[in-house]
Amino acid sequence: YWTTMERHFDKDLQALKDNLVRMGSLVENALTRSLDSIRAGDHPAAAAVIDGDHEVNSLEIRIDDQIIDLLALNQPVASDLRLILAAQKINNDLERIGDHAVNLAESSLVLKTEGLEGSFKLVLSMSESVRRMVRQALDGFIHADPSLGRAVLNQDDMIDDLNRKVFADVIATMKSSPAVIDAGVELIRVSRNMERVADLATNIAEEVIFIAHAKIVKHGAG
């Protein structure tokens, strides 16, 4: 009886992991398309991100239901319990990255960069780093590789610095050239959304380390 139960549990746990990987792939794809739209004004890509958001939201709910079933119907051992609890947080973080991807897609439809070229260059550099952080956090989860998680944590401060720099740059430009105020506000919004994505990638990286080492790592706490 127990081996049947265990086999059932292992199958359900694998199904949860598979769905989480699928969720990661959907969200990463949405983020990539949003960032491409910001870089190159690819409006069809932005529209596809906005249209596809419901798929991310319904998958998040399905994963949550799987997690509740796994916890309610089983008594998982410590390592499996860690994975299930981490999966719950990662699921939530991925859904929020999906929301920020939609925000970025919406911004890309109205973004104007004339007169803000310097700040825009910083934003593009930020977008590359953010994309890499999300990729590494997801790879860390897929391959159970905490070293990838640590690599993400090491990049978070750099994104915060870039975000502050964009803000300061845009404000300075607005003061000397009021014509760019609307565009400047939108660029600050883009930068802030990217910074939030980096924070969420960092959260996922912390969970990857927690799964591997049973150690709670809060960024800055070692």
Side-chain angles (χ1 to χ4, degrees):
Y1 168 76
W2 278 113
T3 52
T4 316
M5 286 284 287
E6 279 163 18
R7 268 207 305 278
H8 209 77
F9 174 76
D10 288 341
K11 220 171 94 188
D12 290 348
L13 193 60
Q14 189 56 51
L16 170 67
K17 277 195 233 172
D18 291 346
N19 265 341
L20 210 48
V21 169
R22 194 170 144 240
M23 175 82 158
S25 169
L26 274 178
V27 166
E28 187 184 14
N29 187 34
L31 180 68
T32 296
R33 294 174 94 169
S34 294
L35 296 177
D36 286 348
S37 186
I38 282 168
R39 172 183 294 280
D42 184 350
H43 290 178
V49 171
I50 295 162
D51 288 346
D53 191 46
H54 64 91
E55 200 182 342
V56 171
N57 293 338
S58 61
L59 187 54
E60 186 211 12
I61 293 163
R62 194 177 328 151
I63 291 169
D64 259 346
D65 288 344
Q66 284 180 292
I67 288 166
I68 289 162
D69 287 348
L70 278 165
L71 290 172
L73 305 174
N74 306 276
Q75 290 171 311
V77 296
S79 60
D80 289 337
L81 184 60
R82 278 207 306 278
L83 176 62
I84 295 165
L85 295 175
Q88 194 167 24
K89 290 186 181 168
I90 291 171
N91 185 35
N92 184 253
D93 288 333
L94 285 172
E95 191 272 335
R96 287 166 66 198
I97 291 175
D99 286 344
H100 289 292
V102 169
N103 294 348
L104 288 164
E106 288 170 349
S107 285
S108 79
L109 297 174
V110 295
L111 194 63
K112 293 181 174 52
T113 56
E114 292 85 351
L116 292 158
E117 287 82 4
S119 307
F120 187 57
K121 205 176 272 186
L122 287 174
V123 163
L124 291 182
S125 147
M126 221 173 153
S127 79
E128 288 312 308
S129 301
V130 165
R131 201 187 297 236
R132 185 173 60 243
M133 287 171 78
V134 170
R135 168 79 294 182
Q136 287 176 330
L138 290 172
D139 279 349
F141 174 72
I142 291 164
H143 303 298
D145 184 349
S147 69
L148 284 169
R150 294 201 180 279
V152 174
L153 301 192
N154 292 337
Q155 296 168 74
D156 192 40
D157 290 342
M158 175 188 70
I159 295 288
D160 290 342
D161 290 344
L162 276 171
N163 183 45
R164 278 192 291 270
K165 213 163 173 205
V166 169
F167 185 80
D169 264 29
V170 171
I171 295 294
T173 310
M174 283 176 175
K175 282 179 179 162
S176 61
S177 166
V180 304
I181 285 179
D182 286 350
V185 167
E186 203 59 56
L187 199 57
I188 286 171
R189 190 174 290 137
V190 165
S191 176
R192 190 168 293 155
N193 273 289
M194 285 185 191
E195 190 252 346
R196 291 298 301 125
V197 171
D199 284 347
L200 292 161
T202 302
N203 289 355
I204 293 170
E206 286 166 356
E207 293 306 318
V208 168
I209 295 166
F210 169 70
I211 295 167
H213 297 313
K215 190 166 124 192
I216 293 173
V217 184
K218 273 287 151 229
H219 188 34

XYZ file of all heavy atoms in Angstrom, residues 38-121:
634
model
N 10.751 46.814 -26.159
C 11.330 48.080 -25.676
C 12.561 48.444 -26.496
O 12.737 49.581 -26.914
C 11.644 47.972 -24.165
C 10.341 48.139 -23.386
C 12.677 49.010 -23.729
C 10.417 47.775 -21.942
N 13.386 47.445 -26.777
C 14.622 47.697 -27.529
C 14.320 48.122 -28.970
O 14.922 49.048 -29.495
C 15.486 46.428 -27.533
C 16.710 46.485 -28.429
C 17.463 45.162 -28.414
N 18.033 44.891 -27.107
C 19.171 45.425 -26.648
N 19.866 46.250 -27.403
N 19.620 45.125 -25.454
N 13.378 47.435 -29.618
C 13.221 47.601 -31.072
C 11.830 48.080 -31.485
O 11.518 48.104 -32.667
C 13.533 46.270 -31.756
N 10.998 48.434 -30.497
C 9.653 48.891 -30.826
C 8.812 47.825 -31.517
O 8.027 48.120 -32.407
N 8.986 46.564 -31.096
C 8.265 45.448 -31.723
C 6.860 45.346 -31.112
O 6.617 44.589 -30.175
C 9.070 44.153 -31.506
C 8.439 42.960 -32.199
O 7.292 43.089 -32.674
O 9.079 41.901 -32.255
N 5.922 46.106 -31.660
C 4.588 46.191 -31.059
C 3.786 44.884 -31.118
O 3.086 44.573 -30.159
C 3.805 47.362 -31.668
C 4.359 48.685 -31.247
N 3.862 49.892 -31.695
C 5.383 49.009 -30.415
C 4.562 50.893 -31.157
N 5.492 50.377 -30.384
N 3.884 44.092 -32.204
C 3.171 42.804 -32.185
C 3.632 41.896 -31.033
O 2.824 41.192 -30.428
C 3.513 42.190 -33.547
C 3.807 43.366 -34.426
C 4.463 44.379 -33.531
N 4.937 41.921 -30.735
C 5.447 41.104 -29.618
C 4.837 41.581 -28.303
O 4.436 40.779 -27.456
C 6.971 41.182 -29.553
N 4.749 42.911 -28.137
C 4.160 43.478 -26.912
C 2.694 43.072 -26.794
O 2.230 42.662 -25.721
C 4.291 44.999 -26.929
N 1.962 43.145 -27.906
C 0.539 42.776 -27.894
C 0.369 41.300 -27.520
O -0.550 40.937 -26.775
C -0.081 43.057 -29.263
N 1.278 40.450 -28.009
C 1.212 39.017 -27.697
C 1.418 38.769 -26.203
O 0.781 37.885 -25.612
C 2.253 38.252 -28.512
N 2.289 39.552 -25.587
C 2.532 39.418 -24.136
C 1.267 39.776 -23.363
O 0.853 39.066 -22.440
C 3.706 40.323 -23.685
C 3.821 40.347 -22.168
C 5.014 39.853 -24.311
N 0.641 40.881 -23.749
C -0.561 41.346 -23.047
C -1.686 40.316 -23.219
O -2.364 39.961 -22.257
C -0.972 42.750 -23.567
C 0.133 43.772 -23.213
C -2.309 43.187 -22.986
C 0.097 45.068 -24.004
N -1.826 39.785 -24.436
C -2.871 38.781 -24.707
C -2.616 37.465 -23.977
O -3.556 36.769 -23.621
C -2.946 38.471 -26.214
C -3.554 39.629 -26.992
O -4.135 40.525 -26.345
O -3.426 39.651 -28.231
N -1.344 37.121 -23.790
C -1.003 35.813 -23.218
C -1.008 35.761 -21.702
O -0.800 34.696 -21.102
N -1.280 36.891 -21.040
C -1.162 36.941 -19.579
C -2.145 36.001 -18.882
O -1.832 35.433 -17.837
C -1.354 38.379 -19.086
C -0.992 38.537 -17.618
O 0.074 38.034 -17.217
O -1.777 39.145 -16.869
N -3.335 35.820 -19.464
C -4.345 34.949 -18.830
C -3.829 33.514 -18.703
O -4.180 32.796 -17.765
C -5.659 34.977 -19.624
C -5.519 34.410 -20.998
N -5.745 33.079 -21.282
C -5.114 34.972 -22.162
C -5.506 32.859 -22.552
N -5.120 33.983 -23.123
N -2.967 33.097 -19.648
C -2.418 31.727 -19.613
C -1.512 31.560 -18.391
O -1.555 30.530 -17.704
C -1.628 31.480 -20.906
C -1.441 30.015 -21.210
C -0.620 29.772 -22.472
O -0.484 30.710 -23.294
O -0.099 28.659 -22.614
N -0.707 32.581 -18.117
C 0.170 32.566 -16.928
C -0.689 32.501 -15.665
O -0.427 31.709 -14.750
C 1.074 33.825 -16.907
C 1.820 33.946 -15.582
C 2.068 33.785 -18.067
N -1.740 33.322 -15.607
C -2.579 33.374 -14.402
C -3.298 32.052 -14.153
O -3.392 31.596 -13.014
C -3.606 34.514 -14.514
C -2.932 35.878 -14.495
O -1.811 36.014 -14.016
N -3.583 36.876 -15.044
N -3.781 31.409 -15.225
C -4.509 30.151 -14.995
C -3.545 29.032 -14.612
O -3.890 28.161 -13.801
C -5.384 29.778 -16.193
O -4.592 29.595 -17.324
N -2.315 29.064 -15.149
C -1.324 28.057 -14.751
C -0.908 28.260 -13.293
O -0.714 27.279 -12.556
C -0.106 28.106 -15.680
C 0.941 26.997 -15.504
C 0.329 25.599 -15.585
C 2.055 27.134 -16.550
N -0.816 29.508 -12.860
C -0.472 29.773 -11.451
C -1.507 29.130 -10.527
O -1.165 28.498 -9.519
C -0.419 31.283 -11.171
C 0.086 31.565 -9.765
C -0.475 32.819 -9.120
O -1.441 33.396 -9.639
O 0.056 33.219 -8.057
N -2.781 29.262 -10.870
C -3.850 28.694 -10.042
C -3.765 27.165 -10.038
O -3.901 26.522 -8.991
C -5.241 29.175 -10.547
C -5.376 30.680 -10.296
C -6.375 28.414 -9.878
C -6.478 31.360 -11.083
N -3.491 26.586 -11.215
C -3.379 25.119 -11.300
C -2.227 24.615 -10.420
O -2.349 23.617 -9.710
C -3.168 24.690 -12.749
C -3.396 23.189 -12.932
C -3.288 22.713 -14.341
N -3.726 23.703 -15.303
C -3.257 23.801 -16.549
N -2.315 22.987 -16.962
N -3.712 24.712 -17.376
N -1.096 25.310 -10.456
C 0.066 24.910 -9.643
C -0.265 25.035 -8.156
O 0.056 24.146 -7.361
C 1.311 25.752 -10.024
C 1.794 25.375 -11.430
C 2.433 25.563 -8.995
C 2.843 26.305 -12.015
N -0.933 26.112 -7.781
C -1.345 26.284 -6.379
C -2.215 25.122 -5.919
O -2.052 24.616 -4.806
C -2.117 27.603 -6.205
C -1.234 28.692 -5.607
O -0.144 28.354 -5.093
O -1.625 29.871 -5.644
N -3.144 24.698 -6.780
C -4.015 23.562 -6.441
C -3.209 22.278 -6.263
O -3.462 21.490 -5.345
C -5.082 23.348 -7.539
C -6.151 24.447 -7.519
O -6.227 25.168 -6.498
O -6.876 24.594 -8.517
N -2.224 22.074 -7.145
C -1.360 20.885 -7.027
C -0.618 20.900 -5.680
O -0.472 19.864 -5.030
C -0.322 20.861 -8.153
C -0.860 20.444 -9.511
C 0.258 20.456 -10.553
O 0.779 21.510 -10.913
N 0.637 19.283 -11.032
N -0.134 22.078 -5.290
C 0.624 22.214 -4.036
C -0.272 21.881 -2.840
O 0.123 21.131 -1.936
C 1.216 23.632 -3.922
C 2.376 23.783 -4.918
C 1.687 23.929 -2.495
C 2.829 25.209 -5.165
N -1.491 22.402 -2.858
C -2.432 22.144 -1.756
C -2.717 20.644 -1.650
O -2.706 20.065 -0.559
C -3.734 22.961 -1.954
C -3.439 24.448 -1.719
C -4.835 22.501 -1.003
C -4.484 25.387 -2.294
N -2.940 20.001 -2.810
C -3.203 18.550 -2.809
C -2.014 17.762 -2.254
O -2.187 16.840 -1.459
C -3.523 18.048 -4.226
C -4.911 18.502 -4.678
O -5.684 18.985 -3.830
O -5.200 18.378 -5.889
N -0.808 18.129 -2.688
C 0.387 17.414 -2.220
C 0.553 17.538 -0.704
O 0.943 16.585 -0.032
C 1.639 17.957 -2.921
C 1.920 17.403 -4.322
C 2.949 18.270 -5.035
C 2.419 15.956 -4.253
N 0.248 18.716 -0.174
C 0.398 18.927 1.278
C -0.740 18.265 2.051
O -0.531 17.717 3.130
C 0.436 20.427 1.591
C 1.699 21.166 1.132
C 1.542 22.664 1.318
C 2.945 20.673 1.875
N -1.951 18.312 1.483
C -3.126 17.817 2.214
C -3.195 16.294 2.221
O -3.644 15.693 3.197
C -4.392 18.398 1.595
N -2.747 15.673 1.130
C -2.972 14.230 0.977
C -1.747 13.394 1.345
O -1.786 12.178 1.288
C -3.385 13.914 -0.474
C -4.599 14.701 -1.003
C -4.824 14.420 -2.481
C -5.848 14.367 -0.195
N -0.652 14.043 1.674
C 0.582 13.304 1.964
C 1.266 13.900 3.183
O 0.916 14.968 3.647
C 1.555 13.396 0.773
C 0.921 12.947 -0.525
O 0.882 11.779 -0.826
N 0.416 13.901 -1.301
N 2.250 13.162 3.682
C 3.111 13.719 4.723
C 4.530 13.691 4.184
O 5.295 12.767 4.475
C 2.979 12.907 6.011
C 1.621 13.107 6.658
C 1.406 12.143 7.801
O 1.632 10.933 7.661
N 0.975 12.665 8.931
N 4.873 14.675 3.356
C 6.167 14.606 2.665
C 7.349 14.677 3.633
O 7.287 15.340 4.664
C 6.151 15.832 1.740
C 5.014 16.682 2.175
C 4.086 15.856 2.995
N 8.411 13.953 3.272
C 9.646 14.011 4.057
C 10.254 15.410 3.887
O 9.883 16.157 2.983
C 10.664 12.931 3.609
C 10.095 11.551 3.868
C 11.051 13.104 2.145
N 11.239 15.711 4.742
C 11.757 17.087 4.823
C 12.195 17.655 3.472
O 11.843 18.776 3.115
C 12.911 17.141 5.819
N 12.941 16.872 2.682
C 13.476 17.422 1.429
C 12.346 17.702 0.430
O 12.362 18.717 -0.276
C 14.515 16.487 0.820
O 13.914 15.237 0.542
N 11.339 16.805 0.390
C 10.193 17.031 -0.505
C 9.361 18.220 -0.024
O 8.863 19.008 -0.833
C 9.308 15.779 -0.579
C 9.980 14.647 -1.335
O 10.887 14.951 -2.140
O 9.626 13.475 -1.110
N 9.228 18.331 1.283
C 8.468 19.451 1.851
C 9.134 20.780 1.486
O 8.463 21.739 1.109
C 8.364 19.299 3.373
C 7.508 20.355 4.091
C 6.071 20.334 3.592
C 7.547 20.128 5.603
N 10.452 20.805 1.563
C 11.199 22.019 1.170
C 10.900 22.392 -0.274
O 10.669 23.548 -0.597
C 12.713 21.792 1.284
C 13.257 21.969 2.674
C 14.718 22.388 2.634
N 15.596 21.527 1.865
C 16.138 20.403 2.305
N 15.842 19.955 3.507
N 16.962 19.709 1.540
N 10.914 21.373 -1.128
C 10.660 21.614 -2.550
C 9.240 22.161 -2.760
O 9.036 23.115 -3.510
C 10.847 20.320 -3.346
C 10.512 20.414 -4.841
C 11.422 21.414 -5.547
C 10.636 19.060 -5.513
N 8.267 21.569 -2.063
C 6.866 21.988 -2.238
C 6.667 23.421 -1.743
O 6.016 24.240 -2.402
C 5.909 21.003 -1.516
C 5.981 19.611 -2.162
C 4.473 21.518 -1.552
C 5.363 18.501 -1.326
N 7.242 23.731 -0.576
C 7.099 25.092 -0.025
C 7.805 26.123 -0.911
O 7.294 27.217 -1.142
C 7.641 25.153 1.405
C 6.870 24.321 2.436
C 7.569 24.365 3.787
C 5.422 24.808 2.568
N 8.973 25.742 -1.413
C 9.703 26.643 -2.321
C 8.919 26.826 -3.615
O 8.845 27.935 -4.163
C 11.095 26.092 -2.608
N 8.313 25.733 -4.100
C 7.533 25.802 -5.347
C 6.390 26.805 -5.212
O 6.083 27.546 -6.152
C 6.978 24.421 -5.692
N 5.790 26.845 -4.032
C 4.681 27.773 -3.799
C 5.153 29.228 -3.962
O 4.503 30.040 -4.619
C 4.112 27.553 -2.392
C 2.780 28.214 -2.178
C 2.101 27.722 -0.907
O 2.763 27.249 0.027
N 0.796 27.834 -0.862
N 6.315 29.520 -3.395
C 6.852 30.890 -3.495
C 7.298 31.199 -4.920
O 7.065 32.292 -5.434
C 8.027 31.062 -2.532
C 7.594 31.073 -1.071
C 8.786 31.401 -0.188
C 8.391 31.387 1.275
N 9.568 31.420 2.148
N 7.964 30.226 -5.554
C 8.457 30.443 -6.925
C 7.281 30.682 -7.871
O 7.331 31.563 -8.735
C 9.325 29.247 -7.385
C 10.640 29.211 -6.594
C 9.603 29.323 -8.888
C 11.478 27.949 -6.803
N 6.217 29.921 -7.689
C 5.010 30.073 -8.503
C 4.491 31.516 -8.414
O 4.200 32.159 -9.427
C 3.951 29.086 -8.001
C 2.699 29.078 -8.856
O 2.761 29.235 -10.070
N 1.554 28.874 -8.223
N 4.421 32.016 -7.187
C 3.946 33.379 -6.957
C 4.893 34.416 -7.574
O 4.450 35.380 -8.214
C 3.790 33.590 -5.448
C 3.200 34.950 -5.124
O 3.887 35.843 -4.657
N 1.922 35.112 -5.408
N 6.194 34.192 -7.401
C 7.184 35.131 -7.964
C 7.122 35.149 -9.493
O 7.233 36.204 -10.115
C 8.608 34.755 -7.522
C 8.849 35.053 -6.036
O 8.176 35.963 -5.505
O 9.695 34.382 -5.424
N 6.937 33.976 -10.092
C 6.853 33.897 -11.563
C 5.621 34.639 -12.068
O 5.685 35.364 -13.058
C 6.815 32.442 -12.022
C 8.155 31.695 -11.964
C 7.952 30.211 -12.246
C 9.158 32.279 -12.956
N 4.494 34.464 -11.369
C 3.274 35.161 -11.787
C 3.484 36.677 -11.740
O 3.028 37.406 -12.621
C 2.108 34.722 -10.890
C 0.740 35.165 -11.391
C 0.331 36.548 -10.900
O 0.826 36.971 -9.840
O -0.462 37.209 -11.588
N 4.205 37.128 -10.722
C 4.462 38.570 -10.598
C 5.437 39.055 -11.681
O 5.285 40.162 -12.208
C 4.982 38.893 -9.196
C 3.856 38.787 -8.157
C 4.372 38.767 -6.742
N 5.002 40.020 -6.365
C 5.837 40.153 -5.320
N 6.152 39.095 -4.595
N 6.356 41.318 -5.023
N 6.421 38.226 -12.042
C 7.300 38.592 -13.171
C 6.443 38.727 -14.434
O 6.631 39.649 -15.230
C 8.431 37.548 -13.376
C 9.430 37.617 -12.219
C 9.160 37.798 -14.712
C 10.536 36.552 -12.259
N 5.470 37.821 -14.594
C 4.543 37.907 -15.723
C 3.796 39.236 -15.740
O 3.636 39.862 -16.797
N 3.370 39.697 -14.558
C 2.680 40.999 -14.459
C 3.599 42.138 -14.888
O 3.176 43.062 -15.585
C 2.222 41.260 -13.018
C 1.012 40.401 -12.636
O 0.357 39.856 -13.544
O 0.731 40.283 -11.433
N 4.860 42.076 -14.445
C 5.818 43.133 -14.823
C 6.128 43.084 -16.316
O 6.329 44.125 -16.946
C 7.098 43.034 -13.990
C 6.896 43.429 -12.553
N 6.610 44.724 -12.181
C 6.897 42.704 -11.418
C 6.455 44.775 -10.856
N 6.616 43.557 -10.377
N 6.139 41.871 -16.888
C 6.343 41.745 -18.342
C 5.211 42.451 -19.087
O 5.441 43.126 -20.096
C 6.425 40.271 -18.740
N 3.983 42.313 -18.566
C 2.831 43.009 -19.174
C 3.013 44.524 -19.044
O 2.804 45.273 -20.012
C 1.498 42.554 -18.528
C 0.341 43.449 -18.965
C 1.203 41.101 -18.900
N 3.413 44.982 -17.865
C 3.663 46.426 -17.672
C 4.699 46.934 -18.676
O 4.551 48.013 -19.257
C 4.181 46.715 -16.257
C 3.152 46.432 -15.179
O 1.974 46.230 -15.481
N 3.583 46.389 -13.930
N 5.769 46.158 -18.841
C 6.841 46.551 -19.768
C 6.326 46.569 -21.207
O 6.658 47.468 -21.987
C 8.036 45.594 -19.633
C 8.855 45.751 -18.340
C 9.742 44.534 -18.106
C 9.712 47.022 -18.371
N 5.496 45.586 -21.547
C 4.913 45.539 -22.904
C 4.043 46.770 -23.140
O 4.098 47.393 -24.206
C 4.105 44.257 -23.077
N 3.248 47.123 -22.132
C 2.379 48.309 -22.261
C 3.212 49.581 -22.417
O 2.901 50.442 -23.243
C 1.443 48.412 -21.049
C 0.354 47.350 -21.073
C -0.448 47.249 -19.778
O -0.044 47.852 -18.749
O -1.480 46.555 -19.794
N 4.288 49.686 -21.634
C 5.182 50.852 -21.760
C 5.801 50.927 -23.146
O 5.944 52.004 -23.722
C 6.297 50.794 -20.711
O 5.794 51.126 -19.440
N 6.169 49.755 -23.684
C 6.870 49.751 -24.980
C 5.986 50.319 -26.094
O 6.488 50.833 -27.092
C 7.330 48.335 -25.345
O 6.256 47.575 -25.854
N 4.674 50.238 -25.913
C 3.752 50.728 -26.943
C 3.719 52.261 -26.998
O 3.326 52.831 -28.014
C 2.331 50.196 -26.696
C 2.170 48.670 -26.781
C 0.760 48.250 -26.374
C 2.494 48.145 -28.180
N 4.119 52.919 -25.900
C 4.045 54.395 -25.864
C 5.415 55.048 -25.652
O 5.523 56.274 -25.611
C 3.066 54.870 -24.754
C 1.645 54.426 -25.072
C 3.487 54.367 -23.376
N 6.457 54.222 -25.524
C 7.780 54.742 -25.152
C 8.393 55.587 -26.271
O 8.389 55.184 -27.423
C 8.693 53.558 -24.831
C 10.008 53.875 -24.105
C 9.736 54.473 -22.731
C 10.847 52.615 -23.972
N 8.898 56.766 -25.875
C 9.647 57.607 -26.824
C 10.987 57.919 -26.182
O 11.055 58.215 -24.993
C 8.891 58.906 -27.097
C 7.582 58.672 -27.846
C 6.864 59.977 -28.128
C 5.631 59.757 -29.016
N 4.733 58.716 -28.495
N 12.050 57.838 -26.953
C 13.385 57.985 -26.342
C 14.141 59.214 -26.847
O 15.254 59.465 -26.401
C 14.224 56.721 -26.611
O 14.277 56.517 -28.026
C 13.605 55.497 -25.953
N 13.549 59.996 -27.765
C 14.232 61.208 -28.248
C 14.549 62.115 -27.064
O 13.680 62.393 -26.235
C 13.338 61.995 -29.235
C 13.088 61.306 -30.548
C 11.921 60.319 -30.509
O 11.391 60.029 -29.419
O 11.569 59.830 -31.591
N 15.801 62.545 -27.018
C 16.228 63.435 -25.928
C 16.599 62.689 -24.661
O 17.066 63.283 -23.697
N 16.364 61.365 -24.641
C 16.665 60.567 -23.441
C 17.602 59.408 -23.791
O 17.603 58.368 -23.138
C 15.359 60.002 -22.848
C 14.396 61.021 -22.233
C 12.982 60.463 -22.174
C 14.865 61.426 -20.827
N 18.404 59.602 -24.834
C 19.231 58.500 -25.362
C 20.161 57.905 -24.312
O 20.333 56.690 -24.234
C 20.040 58.968 -26.585
C 19.220 59.158 -27.847
C 18.482 60.508 -27.914
O 18.677 61.347 -27.003
O 17.729 60.709 -28.871
N 20.786 58.782 -23.497
C 21.721 58.302 -22.461
C 21.022 57.404 -21.455
O 21.507 56.307 -21.129
N 19.861 57.861 -20.986
C 19.095 57.067 -20.011
C 18.618 55.767 -20.649
O 18.609 54.712 -20.011
C 17.865 57.852 -19.522
O 18.245 59.125 -19.060
N 18.219 55.840 -21.920
C 17.712 54.651 -22.608
C 18.807 53.594 -22.750
O 18.558 52.396 -22.615
C 17.141 55.047 -23.985
C 16.454 53.912 -24.695
C 15.392 53.236 -24.099
C 16.868 53.509 -25.955
C 14.745 52.180 -24.755
C 16.230 52.465 -26.621
C 15.162 51.794 -26.014
N 20.036 54.064 -22.972
C 21.169 53.132 -23.078
C 21.341 52.362 -21.756
O 21.599 51.157 -21.744
C 22.445 53.916 -23.412
C 23.492 53.076 -24.111
C 24.699 53.907 -24.507
C 24.509 54.527 -25.877
N 25.725 55.216 -26.336
